[in-house]
Amino acid sequence: MTTKLYLTEGGKAKNLALLTLTERLEIQETLRKTEAKEWIRRYRLKVKETGKQQAQAWWLGVKEAIKKKRGQDGLDTLISEMQRQRHEVNRL
């Protein structure tokens, strides 16, 4: 049995254009946190597979691709969220 997760209350997917500003901001924040967590996971996996030096080279390439697509502000937002999550984990 699979559990379906919805980003809106009531368990029904909605047209994004019909969401309130608060709902859209909550979804955006969820996506931001999820993406940061995923990149942290991928980087750690790459370190295990190829070693730290090659993983860092790979990550530089990923960051360049993100910067081209989203701009420096988008990259900075992702990196700051990743750092926030890493510091949060280290505090536990």
Side-chain angles (χ1 to χ4, degrees), residues 26-85:
E26 287 174 0
I27 290 171
Q28 191 175 27
E29 183 65 21
T30 299
L31 291 173
R32 189 177 299 123
K33 288 178 180 179
T34 303
E35 181 189 23
K37 189 181 290 187
E38 176 64 16
W39 281 117
I40 291 169
R41 185 192 69 77
R42 288 182 186 191
Y43 178 77
R44 288 179 180 159
L45 180 63
K46 190 63 84 169
V47 169
K48 287 179 183 178
E49 291 175 346
T50 64
K52 189 167 186 165
Q53 192 172 20
Q54 286 186 335
Q56 287 176 340
W58 167 82
W59 178 239
L60 286 175
V62 169
K63 289 194 315 186
E64 282 300 314
I66 291 171
K67 184 178 174 181
K68 280 183 185 177
K69 188 162 188 142
R70 301 182 198 172
Q72 186 65 47
D73 288 343
L75 177 61
D76 292 343
T77 300
L78 174 63
I79 290 172
S80 66
E81 178 60 29
M82 290 172 70
Q83 290 172 344
R84 189 194 66 74
Q85 287 187 22

Side-chain angles (χ1 to χ4, degrees), residues 4-35:
K4 293 187 178 185
L5 301 175
Y6 295 95
L7 298 176
T8 60
E9 288 186 29
K12 292 185 179 179
K14 291 184 179 179
N15 182 333
L16 291 176
L18 301 177
L19 296 176
T20 66
L21 177 60
T22 304
E23 288 174 322
R24 286 195 306 266
L25 290 174
E26 287 174 0
I27 290 171
Q28 191 175 27
E29 183 65 21
T30 299
L31 291 173
R32 189 177 299 123
K33 288 178 180 179
T34 303
E35 181 189 23

